[in-house]
Amino acid sequence: MNTSRRSGTTDELGPDEPGESGGSDLLAALLDGMDAALCAFDADGVVTHWNREAERILGWTAAEAVGRHGFAGWAVRSADAEEVHTRLMSAMHAPGRQVHEFALVTKDGGRILVRTQTAAVRGPEGKPAGVYCAFSEVHAQIDLERSIALSEALLEDASWGVVLVDADLRPAVVNAYAARTLGIRRTSALGRPLGELLAQGVEELEAALTHVLSEGAPPAPAEMWVSVRGPEGEKRRCWRSGFLRLASPLAEEPVPLGVGWLFQDVTEAKQGEQDAALLRFRTNQLHRAARAAAECENPAEAATVHLDFALAGFADHALIDRVAAVSSTADEKAPGPPRLVRLAETPAGAPGPSLLTGAAGLPVRYEEGHPALQCVERAGTVRADAGSVSAERAGAWAAERQWPGDAAHGLCAVLRSRGRTLGVVTFLRGAARGRFERSDTAYAEDVAGRIAAALDLAEAARAGTDGGR
């Protein structure tokens, strides 16, 4: 039996035959390069192999271990020696591998719990010739099992999305949550460019992944807005994302294998936060407008103050049209749409405060079916949109309605006070902004109520002045 002093391993080949030294050196190098401790016993239970990892864990060198009969008297307590030997050698006549846990004794007298995997060594004729035993510290094995279990749980049952992206920024592994969020099957996303999975937000996501590959994981999660393609069209979603750079543990220097991308869909929460912030802002604007309007001597000026405060963050343009007074000689029952006279409007060019107009009392040339006329006739709010058209067509759409040329979305709210319809206030947005939603309608109606009260007060004050004369 030959003991390799150079490598710390032994083999049972005996003295090297001519030309066989390379084989022995290769076997010694392989055994010493293993991450697990390894020892082997012949059919009589004598130690024949002992690698460096076994020496590191227990402290016994190959020279001290090889040639001993089992672990009795040195690597296990005497009380446990027979049981340990029996369980180890039973693998010689059992199929497959056996797993055991033993308390072994280190060279300095300490005890350490190890997990072993034993299997039979077959001779040239297939008969059992011995047993090999690979072992490691139990806590290290448990750490490995925990890591594997964590990986499997993340990729199967996690309540957030997990996508492993390779160095070419293509998904390599997609868990169930991520597949549901993307609206695809888990296997259909593999190897496909991210641009095929997302309609918008791909550039930001790829930039983040590239940064992680080159610089490492960011210090905090990032919130990213994307649009996901689905059978019902595109859906805009907000994903709170974390990124981890994956590097090979087998390389001397970190070699990036890709990026681990973890995310949760927080769209509802973010929309709730945005809606709450918007409500606070609009409430503050109404409060500020009321205080500013209270300082106006002219009630009509107070109406424009309410209009100016409402515009901030809400619309690009605004108009106030009042219902024209009916002449005493005219037939009040004459058919036809109501006539509206422009009372105030925001400047068409540079931004500025609303201007009072309409001193001449000439009606605005609204055609039949105009949203403002519909608003007065229905005594309710009316929304209008140019739709997805070219800029030229949108300009023509606005011109037909006597609105500024950049208007693409309109919202008309009726002005009513003391049971009377006084006119209509129109809010306009450009094509770069979204259409008016239901929450916008409620805000516009609240502003319209305040403007109507101011206009009603202006009419009452004017009537009182005329009566006093």
Side-chain angles (χ1 to χ4, degrees):
M1 185 173 300
N2 178 42
T3 300
S4 174
R5 302 295 182 185
R6 179 179 60 225
S7 64
T9 63
T10 64
D11 58 56
E12 54 183 352
L13 299 176
D16 290 341
E17 298 295 334
E20 292 185 352
S21 61
S24 299
D25 290 343
L26 176 59
L27 175 60
L30 290 174
L31 294 177
D32 280 341
M34 295 177 63
D35 292 332
L38 186 137
C39 64
F41 305 87
D42 62 15
D44 297 325
V46 176
V47 178
T48 60
H49 295 75
W50 191 265
N51 73 347
R52 288 191 184 277
E53 185 65 12
E55 178 181 341
R56 185 193 68 79
I57 293 177
L58 297 179
W60 301 96
T61 65
E64 295 169 322
V66 171
R68 293 179 180 265
H69 188 273
F71 288 153
W74 61 289
V76 296
R77 295 190 312 172
S78 300
D80 302 330
E82 183 177 353
E83 178 188 359
V84 170
H85 183 77
T86 300
R87 293 168 70 180
L88 284 174
M89 299 308 294
S90 65
M92 190 164 56
H93 303 287
R97 293 181 299 174
Q98 293 186 340
V99 178
H100 305 284
E101 288 186 2
F102 303 126
L104 299 183
V105 178
T106 62
K107 186 176 181 179
D108 58 9
R111 297 183 71 199
I112 185 170
L113 185 63
V114 300
R115 179 171 295 176
T116 65
Q117 294 187 35
T118 57
V121 177
R122 304 292 176 182
E125 299 178 358
K127 297 181 179 180
V131 174
Y132 80 82
C133 172
F135 64 92
S136 61
E137 299 175 70
V138 166
H139 71 82
Q141 184 71 21
I142 292 176
D143 288 344
L144 175 61
E145 292 179 0
R146 283 175 180 160
S147 298
I148 296 173
L150 174 62
S151 299
E152 292 181 349
L154 286 175
L155 298 177
E156 293 291 339
D157 306 321
S159 59
W160 56 85
V162 180
V163 179
L164 302 186
V165 183
D166 62 21
D168 295 326
L169 306 185
R170 295 173 183 262
V173 179
V174 178
N175 78 338
Y177 180 102
R180 290 194 304 269
T181 304
L182 292 168
I184 56 176
R185 291 181 291 107
R186 293 181 61 180
T187 55
S188 64
L190 305 184
R192 294 170 58 186
L194 293 173
E196 295 183 7
L197 306 178
L198 302 175
Q200 295 181 4
V202 179
E203 295 80 4
E204 292 78 2
L205 177 57
E206 289 183 341
L209 295 172
T210 302
H211 173 81
V212 173
L213 280 173
S214 59
E215 302 293 335
E223 292 178 352
M224 312 181 73
W225 284 92
V226 300
S227 292
V228 181
R229 294 189 178 94
E232 300 178 356
E234 298 179 2
K235 291 185 178 181
R236 187 162 172 79
R237 313 300 296 172
C238 181
W239 292 342
R240 181 173 290 136
S241 302
F243 302 93
L244 299 170
R245 181 166 61 178
L246 305 179
S248 173
L250 304 178
E252 295 183 3
E253 297 182 359
V255 177
L257 298 178
V259 177
W261 170 32
L262 293 81
F263 67 92
Q264 273 190 317
D265 192 321
V266 294
T267 307
E268 285 72 18
K270 291 300 296 182
Q271 287 179 341
E273 293 175 4
Q274 292 176 354
D275 292 344
L278 182 60
L279 180 60
R280 287 194 302 269
F281 173 76
R282 289 179 175 177
T283 301
N284 289 335
Q285 288 295 97
L286 292 174
H287 175 71
R288 294 171 60 195
R291 290 176 61 92
E295 302 299 324
C296 297
E297 295 183 3
N298 183 355
E301 182 182 351
T304 63
V305 168
H306 283 292
L307 191 66
D308 291 335
F309 274 93
L311 274 179
F314 182 68
D316 299 319
H317 304 286
L319 315 168
I320 297 178
D321 298 323
R322 62 179 176 83
V323 176
V326 179
S327 173
S328 58
T329 60
D331 184 0
E332 297 184 6
K333 297 183 180 180
R339 294 190 305 162
L340 297 176
V341 176
R342 180 65 43 81
L343 179 66
E345 62 183 348
T346 53
S354 302
L355 304 175
L356 289 170
T357 60
L362 298 177
V364 185
R365 295 181 297 104
Y366 287 152
E367 296 183 358
E368 186 176 355
H370 190 282
L373 297 179
Q374 295 181 29
C375 177
V376 173
E377 292 171 349
R378 301 175 185 176
T381 305
V382 175
R383 288 183 291 179
D385 289 281
S388 301
V389 297
S390 63
E392 181 180 354
R393 183 68 189 90
W397 177 87
E400 292 173 0
R401 288 155 181 78
Q402 306 298 315
W403 289 342
D406 59 343
H409 313 287
L411 175 62
C412 299
V414 66
L415 303 176
R416 287 185 61 82
S417 178
R418 295 189 297 168
R420 298 180 303 129
T421 297
L422 305 182
V424 58
V425 57
T426 302
F427 296 100
L428 301 170
R429 288 177 178 173
R433 306 183 63 169
R435 63 192 300 269
F436 290 99
E437 303 294 342
R438 189 176 299 275
S439 59
D440 298 325
T441 300
Y443 180 62
E445 290 173 348
D446 197 350
V447 174
R450 295 167 184 257
I451 293 176
L455 294 182
D456 194 11
L457 180 59
E459 287 188 4
R462 185 167 57 254
T465 302
D466 293 342
R469 293 177 183 176

